[in-house]
Coordinates of all heavy atoms in Angstrom, one line a residue:
G1 N -12.2 38.6 23.7 CA -13.5 38.5 23.2 C -14.5 37.8 24.1 O -15.3 36.9 23.6
L2 N -14.6 38.2 25.3 CA -15.4 37.5 26.3 C -16.9 37.7 26.0 O -17.3 38.7 25.5 CB -15.1 38.1 27.7 CG -13.8 37.5 28.3 CD1 -13.3 38.4 29.5 CD2 -14.0 36.1 28.8
K3 N -17.6 36.7 26.3 CA -19.1 36.6 26.1 C -19.8 36.4 27.4 O -19.2 35.8 28.3 CB -19.4 35.5 25.1 CG -18.7 35.5 23.8 CD -19.0 34.3 23.0 CE -18.3 34.3 21.6 NZ -18.5 33.1 20.8
P4 N -21.0 36.8 27.5 CA -21.8 36.5 28.8 C -21.8 35.1 29.2 O -21.7 34.8 30.4 CB -23.2 37.0 28.5 CG -23.0 38.1 27.5 CD -21.8 37.6 26.6
E5 N -21.8 34.2 28.2 CA -21.8 32.7 28.5 C -20.5 32.2 29.1 O -20.3 31.1 29.5 CB -22.2 31.9 27.3 CG -21.4 32.2 26.1 CD -22.1 33.2 25.1 OE1 -22.7 34.2 25.6 OE2 -22.1 32.9 23.9
D6 N -19.4 33.1 29.1 CA -18.2 32.8 29.8 C -18.2 33.0 31.3 O -17.3 32.7 32.0 CB -17.0 33.6 29.2 CG -16.8 33.3 27.7 OD1 -16.8 32.1 27.3 OD2 -16.5 34.2 26.9
T7 N -19.3 33.6 31.7 CA -19.4 33.9 33.2 C -19.4 32.6 34.0 O -20.2 31.7 33.7 CB -20.7 34.6 33.5 OG1 -20.7 35.9 32.8 CG2 -20.9 34.8 34.9
A8 N -18.5 32.5 34.9 CA -18.3 31.3 35.7 C -17.2 31.5 36.7 O -16.5 32.5 36.7 CB -17.9 30.1 34.8
V9 N -17.1 30.6 37.6 CA -15.9 30.5 38.5 C -14.8 29.7 37.7 O -15.1 28.5 37.3 CB -16.2 29.9 39.9 CG1 -14.9 29.7 40.7 CG2 -17.2 30.7 40.6
Y10 N -13.7 30.3 37.6 CA -12.6 29.6 36.8 C -11.6 29.1 37.8 O -11.1 29.8 38.7 CB -11.9 30.6 35.9 CG -12.7 30.9 34.6 CD1 -13.9 31.6 34.7 CD2 -12.3 30.4 33.4 CE1 -14.6 31.9 33.6 CE2 -13.1 30.6 32.3 CZ -14.2 31.4 32.4 OH -15.0 31.6 31.2
S11 N -11.2 27.8 37.7 CA -10.3 27.1 38.6 C -9.2 26.6 37.8 O -9.4 26.0 36.7 CB -11.0 26.0 39.3 OG -12.1 26.5 40.1
C12 N -8.0 26.6 38.3 CA -6.8 25.9 37.7 C -6.6 24.6 38.4 O -7.0 24.4 39.6 CB -5.6 26.8 37.7 SG -4.9 27.1 39.3
A13 N -6.0 23.7 37.7 CA -5.9 22.3 38.2 C -4.6 21.7 37.7 O -4.2 22.0 36.6 CB -7.1 21.4 37.9
A14 N -4.0 20.8 38.4 CA -2.8 20.2 38.1 C -3.0 18.7 37.8 O -3.7 18.0 38.6 CB -1.7 20.3 39.1
K15 N -2.4 18.2 36.8 CA -2.5 16.8 36.3 C -1.2 16.2 36.0 O -0.4 16.8 35.3 CB -3.4 16.7 35.1 CG -3.5 15.4 34.4 CD -4.2 15.5 33.1 CE -4.3 14.2 32.4 NZ -2.9 13.7 32.0
R16 N -0.9 15.0 36.5 CA 0.3 14.3 36.1 C 0.2 13.8 34.7 O -0.8 13.4 34.2 CB 0.6 13.1 37.1 CG 1.1 13.5 38.5 CD 1.5 12.3 39.3 NE 2.2 12.6 40.5 CZ 1.6 12.8 41.7 NH1 0.2 12.7 41.8 NH2 2.3 13.1 42.7
G17 N 1.4 13.8 34.0 CA 1.5 13.2 32.7 C 1.2 14.2 31.6 O 1.2 15.4 31.8
I18 N 1.1 13.6 30.4 CA 0.9 14.4 29.2 C -0.5 14.7 29.0 O -1.4 13.8 29.1 CB 1.6 13.7 28.0 CG1 3.0 13.4 28.3 CG2 1.4 14.5 26.7 CD1 3.7 12.5 27.2
P19 N -0.9 15.9 28.6 CA -2.3 16.2 28.4 C -2.9 15.4 27.2 O -2.1 15.1 26.3 CB -2.3 17.7 28.0 CG -1.0 18.3 28.6 CD 0.0 17.1 28.5
S20 N -4.1 15.2 27.3 CA -4.9 14.6 26.2 C -6.2 15.3 26.0 O -6.5 16.2 26.7 CB -5.1 13.1 26.5 OG -6.0 12.9 27.5
M21 N -7.0 14.7 25.1 CA -8.3 15.3 24.9 C -9.3 14.9 25.9 O -10.5 15.3 25.9 CB -8.8 14.9 23.5 CG -8.1 15.6 22.4 SD -8.3 17.4 22.5 CE -10.0 17.6 22.3
R22 N -8.9 14.1 26.9 CA -9.8 13.8 28.0 C -10.0 15.1 28.8 O -9.1 15.8 29.1 CB -9.1 12.7 28.9 CG -9.2 11.3 28.4 CD -8.5 10.3 29.4 NE -9.2 10.4 30.7 CZ -10.2 9.6 31.0 NH1 -10.7 8.7 30.2 NH2 -10.7 9.7 32.2
T23 N -11.3 15.3 29.1 CA -11.7 16.6 29.7 C -12.2 16.4 31.1 O -12.7 17.4 31.7 CB -12.7 17.3 28.8 OG1 -13.8 16.5 28.6 CG2 -12.1 17.6 27.4
S24 N -12.2 15.2 31.6 CA -12.8 15.0 32.9 C -12.0 15.7 34.0 O -10.8 15.5 34.1 CB -12.9 13.5 33.2 OG -13.4 13.3 34.6
P25 N -12.7 16.4 34.9 CA -12.0 17.0 36.1 C -11.4 15.9 37.0 O -10.5 16.2 37.8 CB -13.0 17.8 36.8 CG -14.3 17.3 36.3 CD -14.1 16.8 34.9
H26 N -11.9 14.7 36.9 CA -11.4 13.6 37.7 C -9.9 13.3 37.4 O -9.3 12.6 38.1 CB -12.3 12.4 37.6 CG -13.6 12.6 38.2 ND1 -14.8 12.0 37.7 CD2 -14.1 13.4 39.2 CE1 -15.8 12.4 38.4 NE2 -15.4 13.3 39.3
D27 N -9.5 13.7 36.2 CA -8.1 13.4 35.8 C -7.1 14.4 36.5 O -5.9 14.1 36.4 CB -7.9 13.6 34.3 CG -8.6 12.6 33.5 OD1 -8.9 11.5 34.0 OD2 -9.0 12.8 32.4
Y28 N -7.6 15.4 37.2 CA -6.7 16.4 37.8 C -6.7 16.2 39.3 O -7.7 16.1 40.0 CB -7.2 17.8 37.5 CG -7.0 18.1 36.0 CD1 -7.9 17.6 35.0 CD2 -6.0 18.8 35.6 CE1 -7.7 17.8 33.7 CE2 -5.8 19.1 34.2 CZ -6.6 18.6 33.3 OH -6.4 18.8 32.0
E29 N -5.4 16.2 39.8 CA -5.2 15.9 41.2 C -5.3 17.0 42.2 O -5.8 16.9 43.3 CB -3.8 15.3 41.3 CG -3.4 14.7 42.7 CD -2.1 14.0 42.7 OE1 -1.5 13.9 41.6 OE2 -1.7 13.5 43.8
Y30 N -4.9 18.2 41.8 CA -4.9 19.4 42.6 C -5.7 20.5 42.0 O -5.7 20.7 40.8 CB -3.4 19.9 42.9 CG -2.6 18.8 43.6 CD1 -1.6 18.1 42.8 CD2 -2.7 18.5 44.9 CE1 -0.8 17.1 43.4 CE2 -1.9 17.5 45.5 CZ -1.0 16.9 44.8 OH -0.2 15.9 45.4

């Protein structure tokens, strides 16, 4: 169900530990 507002560069990232609702990219190491 993609929308025009989904247009972006999508990146994956790796984070140590258990996920939480914190959404900062600074939490991701790689």
Side-chain angles (χ1 to χ4, degrees):
L2 284 163
K3 305 174 181 179
E5 52 262 44
D6 296 319
T7 295
V9 174
Y10 284 71
S11 300
C12 65
K15 170 190 179 298
R16 286 187 170 91
I18 301 172
S20 71
M21 288 301 296
R22 285 181 58 90
T23 60
S24 172
H26 295 149
D27 292 335
Y28 291 79
E29 186 174 0
Y30 301 104

